[in-house]
Amino acid sequence: MKEATLRQILVVTDGCSNTGMSPVAAAALAREQGITVNVIGVIDKSEMGEKGEREIREIAEAGGGLCDIVYPQQLAQTVQMLTRKAMTRTIHQVVNKELKEILGDSGIEELAPDKRVQVAGMVDELGEKSSLNVVMLVDTSGSMKPKLSAVQQAIHDFSISLHSRSGKSRMAVGSFPGKHKYLDIRIPWTDKVEQAHQLTSDLTMSGITPTGPAIVEAIALFEQDKLPSSLQERYRDEAENDDMNGSLRDHVF
Amino acid sequence: MSSKAVTPDLPKHFQGKWNRRSYHVLRELGRGANGTVYLVSQDGVRRAVKVGAEGMDILMEVNVLKSIQQGRDSKVGPLLCDVDDLVVNGKPCTFYAMEYLEGEQLDRYIQKEGEEWVPVMIVQLLARLDVLHRHGYIFGDLKPENIMVSRTDKTVRLIDFGGVTKLGNAVRQFTEEYDRAFWHAGDRRAEIGYDLFSAAVMMVRLTVGKERWKSSQSGPRHTGLLCDIIRKSDSLYPYRVPLLKAFHGKFATAQEMRAELLAVLRERTVEKPQKKASAAAGKAGGGISGLFVASLLLLAGTLYYAWFM
């Protein structure tokens, strides 16, 4: 448990996917590989349709994560909170499983509240100290355009939150749809996002929202994560030479 | 699963699984990020009960409430009365019961009673924070909504301990308006300075009122914006030095900031009557009596403080 790395995908979207594989199935696939999927729906004045809301909920459920629907102003704090809560949850599940093995059938729920308070303190500490890798997937289909400056702010802000943790944390940012593929890598794995980074420049605005395929490609980003450091360096270089776009597309698909 | 609003509806009556105490639900008091708080009656005594979907989050709050109650300085927040489980729709749910604090949210209180109460309340708040800090925690999510002015003795109490973070860890929960990182004045590591920054922003926000505050919120944020507001406000200007020091993390303890605010406040209370003549047009009376009450309260507060420290 000491060296545990928590892996999360965070989807920021404002509507329904309409292209490719079901995002719910993609989220289930991620969870299968130990990656939690969280979803944030961003809405303007207009409400998110019932269908969109349901999809967001289903993605998070299948991905073992959490979801929320917020206005652009609340985005930054929601990103941090969802990430932290999902982390606590994952660790809780792991601790619970281990406890079950030690105690037999009963897990944390069967402990008296006094004892559980102590477990909670431990879970909190583990959450603070463990490594965390997060891929943020930003929906950049046409309707998201007015919300992108808030998203950009939230990305930078999230980087500060990660930086403030005791454990190692890294993040990567992708946008979907990409120029030629479903997902473009906007920011490769990094432990600090500079404020100057412009998400809005060089964007393809389009009507398609390939949420499912984007999640599948994001899963691949975590595999890259596992490469030996020498190879990782090569990936990073290529990503930069390639104008931070599509570092994955040639290698994965 | 959603991150909030998933608190299941409580049955009208329920009994704790372990300690077997019975509760009768009276009404909902409010919702926090971790759960919902209800007003209940337990054997005829009114209590507040917090229930949340994620048991771990609730238990972490219990952890903090417990550790700050080990001393005599329990005035920081509500007293913890019970921790237990209840079953809602066949699912076990963790809850805790605490002392019911009757009072008003700080911003509503100021709106009703006048902005001259702001420094008085902030000074009180800093004394509470100091206690929390000395136990090794920061409050984190400091905002008017999480501060209560008690009805009977007009003292400030902190409620909602969901953001309370161990010194050195990453702040668990925050609200952008009062968040140091969002104002580009530092990161989100739990330090005493993080709380003091929020306290200073809150002092500005409470003094200028909602409208003025909202209009300053557009565009990129930096503490320069806050300084502009302070410069233009007659009520804030005298406090510019301690406020700026808080923005820039120059105070080592809440106690230090408290002492500096207090010094300004005392000075102001003394010289206000002469100044009143020139500024009389703007304000409709009541200021002096208010300030008199304020200074009495402060004296009481200082005595209380001196007594326990």
Side-chain angles (χ1 to χ4, degrees):
Chain A
M1 285 274 317
K2 246 191 293 170
E3 285 292 305
T5 298
L6 297 171
R7 308 191 294 173
Q8 295 186 359
I9 291 174
L10 175 67
V11 181
V12 179
T13 180
D14 71 342
C16 282
S17 66
N18 54 20
T19 310
M21 177 184 192
S22 144
V24 182
L29 188 67
R31 187 188 196 174
E32 192 55 39
Q33 296 171 60
I35 302 165
T36 307
V37 184
N38 296 317
V39 193
I40 300 181
V42 205
I43 49 169
D44 266 338
K45 287 149 219 138
S46 56
E47 298 267 311
M48 178 164 289
E50 204 179 298
K51 201 170 147 230
E53 258 180 57
R54 195 183 335 119
E55 185 180 283
I56 283 172
R57 214 174 40 240
E58 284 175 359
I59 298 173
E61 256 163 38
L66 299 160
C67 67
D68 207 347
I69 295 170
V70 298
Y71 293 109
Q73 308 88 273
Q74 302 159 295
L75 190 58
Q77 74 197 48
T78 308
V79 169
Q80 181 264 2
M81 193 155 79
L82 229 57
T83 306
R84 188 184 61 72
K85 288 200 170 197
M87 253 170 59
T88 305
R89 224 166 174 237
T90 309
I91 295 172
H92 178 190
Q93 281 158 0
V94 175
V95 169
N96 201 15
K97 209 175 132 216
E98 302 220 337
L99 272 182
K100 273 188 182 156
E101 271 165 26
I102 299 167
L103 303 174
D105 267 349
S106 58
I108 295 174
E109 276 66 35
E110 293 305 311
L111 289 176
D114 273 354
K115 296 260 181 271
R116 238 181 303 149
V117 168
Q118 291 173 24
V119 175
M122 187 182 85
V123 167
D124 194 34
E125 272 310 292
L126 281 172
E128 173 74 18
K129 303 243 156 68
S130 57
S131 305
L132 172 67
N133 290 340
V134 185
V135 175
M136 216 166 143
L137 295 181
V138 183
D139 174 355
T140 52
S141 61
S143 55
M144 276 293 285
K145 200 174 180 184
K147 299 156 201 156
L148 283 182
S149 68
V151 174
Q152 195 162 309
Q153 174 71 46
I155 290 172
H156 175 247
D157 192 88
F158 187 45
S159 158
I160 298 177
S161 280
L162 290 183
H163 221 72
S164 303
R165 297 179 67 243
S166 308
K168 258 193 222 147
S169 344
R170 295 195 306 155
M171 67 188 284
V173 180
S175 64
F176 62 95
K179 240 182 197 157
H180 309 289
K181 291 289 280 182
Y182 290 126
L183 181 71
D184 276 352
I185 308 304
R186 313 290 302 191
I187 306 174
W189 286 114
T190 175
D191 52 11
K192 197 163 189 193
V193 178
E194 295 307 321
Q195 168 138 54
H197 189 87
Q198 290 295 310
L199 186 70
T200 35
S201 63
D202 192 32
L203 265 192
T204 15
M205 284 296 171
S206 117
I208 69 160
T209 311
T211 316
I215 293 176
V216 174
E217 291 200 27
I219 296 173
L221 266 178
F222 286 100
E223 325 236 299
Q224 175 197 355
D225 188 37
K226 274 193 222 144
L227 288 175
S229 54
S230 55
L231 276 176
Q232 260 183 35
E233 282 306 306
R234 220 166 74 198
Y235 265 93
R236 203 163 294 150
D237 288 343
E238 277 173 30
E240 271 155 22
N241 294 341
D242 205 15
D243 209 15
M244 290 187 181
N245 273 333
S247 62
L248 276 180
R249 68 173 82 104
D250 301 329
H251 303 276
V252 180
F253 288 89
Chain B
M1 183 184 280
S2 167
S3 73
K4 57 185 173 204
V6 278
T7 317
D9 283 330
L10 279 188
K12 274 261 157 263
H13 288 275
F14 64 90
Q15 189 179 36
K17 178 180 154 191
W18 303 83
N19 303 329
R20 317 296 309 166
R21 287 198 187 121
S22 300
Y23 294 91
H24 179 73
V25 181
L26 301 173
R27 67 185 162 92
E28 187 183 311
L29 287 171
R31 278 166 197 259
N34 289 342
T36 310
V37 181
Y38 296 89
L39 177 64
V40 300
S41 135
Q42 185 230 323
D43 293 337
V45 184
R46 292 211 281 180
R47 302 254 188 254
V49 159
K50 185 159 184 178
V51 193
E54 298 281 329
M56 282 293 129
D57 284 326
I58 293 289
L59 289 170
M60 280 177 216
E61 291 183 23
V62 171
N63 231 336
V64 178
L65 284 173
K66 264 192 172 163
S67 64
I68 56 171
Q69 272 161 30
Q70 280 160 0
R72 283 195 297 174
D73 26 47
S74 52
K75 288 258 179 175
V76 179
L79 282 168
L80 183 68
C81 306
D82 188 16
V83 188
D84 211 327
D85 295 331
L86 80 151
V87 179
V88 184
N89 304 331
K91 256 187 72 185
C93 247
T94 306
F95 74 89
Y96 65 87
M98 58 195 146
E99 171 192 9
Y100 172 54
L101 300 176
E102 216 178 347
E104 224 167 341
Q105 219 170 275
L106 181 58
D107 50 342
R108 288 191 204 131
Y109 184 83
I110 300 289
Q111 217 174 1
K112 249 177 43 193
E113 304 293 330
E115 45 130 303
E116 72 244 30
W117 279 87
V118 175
V120 184
M121 291 305 177
I122 298 288
V123 161
Q124 268 201 57
L125 171 70
L126 287 168
R128 306 283 179 269
L129 289 175
D130 197 52
V131 173
L132 195 60
H133 294 164
R134 279 191 282 115
H135 278 91
Y137 295 99
I138 70 153
F139 189 73
D141 198 5
L142 206 55
K143 55 179 172 181
E145 292 85 340
N146 285 345
I147 300 165
M148 190 80 111
V149 182
S150 77
R151 184 153 300 157
T152 46
D153 55 0
K154 306 288 175 244
T155 55
V156 160
R157 306 283 281 269
L158 293 163
I159 54 168
D160 195 339
F161 282 62
V164 175
T165 311
K166 247 188 211 157
L167 281 168
N169 285 3
V171 173
R172 295 167 56 78
Q173 206 168 287
F174 61 91
T175 302
E176 289 169 1
E177 273 173 82
Y178 306 99
D179 165 49
R180 179 171 80 177
F182 215 73
W183 285 98
H184 302 294
D187 60 12
R188 253 172 225 134
R189 205 152 298 168
E191 302 162 344
I192 289 171
Y194 185 91
D195 271 354
L196 301 186
F197 182 92
S198 307
V201 176
M202 202 158 64
M203 183 160 171
V204 175
R205 147 75 184 87
L206 289 171
T207 308
V208 298
K210 238 184 196 145
E211 305 296 302
R212 180 76 217 289
W213 181 250
K214 279 250 167 70
S215 66
S216 70
Q217 294 298 296
S218 51
R221 291 198 213 180
H222 49 91
T223 46
L225 280 177
L226 295 169
C227 296
D228 282 347
I229 299 179
I230 294 169
R231 209 172 303 125
K232 286 179 198 148
S233 157
D234 286 344
S235 329
L236 286 170
Y237 190 70
Y239 296 97
R240 64 196 177 280
V241 178
L243 285 175
L244 262 136
K245 280 170 96 172
F247 292 153
H248 294 107
K250 300 282 190 235
F251 289 117
T253 63
Q255 179 58 23
E256 266 179 39
M257 180 171 168
R258 183 177 183 275
E260 286 202 21
L261 287 176
L262 208 50
V264 182
L265 183 52
R266 281 214 191 88
E267 208 174 292
R268 293 254 296 161
T269 319
V270 177
E271 65 183 36
K272 191 83 178 183
Q274 298 113 34
K275 273 200 170 173
K276 197 82 193 172
S278 59
K283 298 245 160 60
I288 299 179
S289 62
L291 270 169
F292 179 66
V293 176
S295 59
L296 273 185
L297 260 161
L298 255 174
L299 179 68
T302 314
L303 283 178
Y304 163 80
Y305 199 73
W307 185 261
F308 284 101
M309 296 308 126

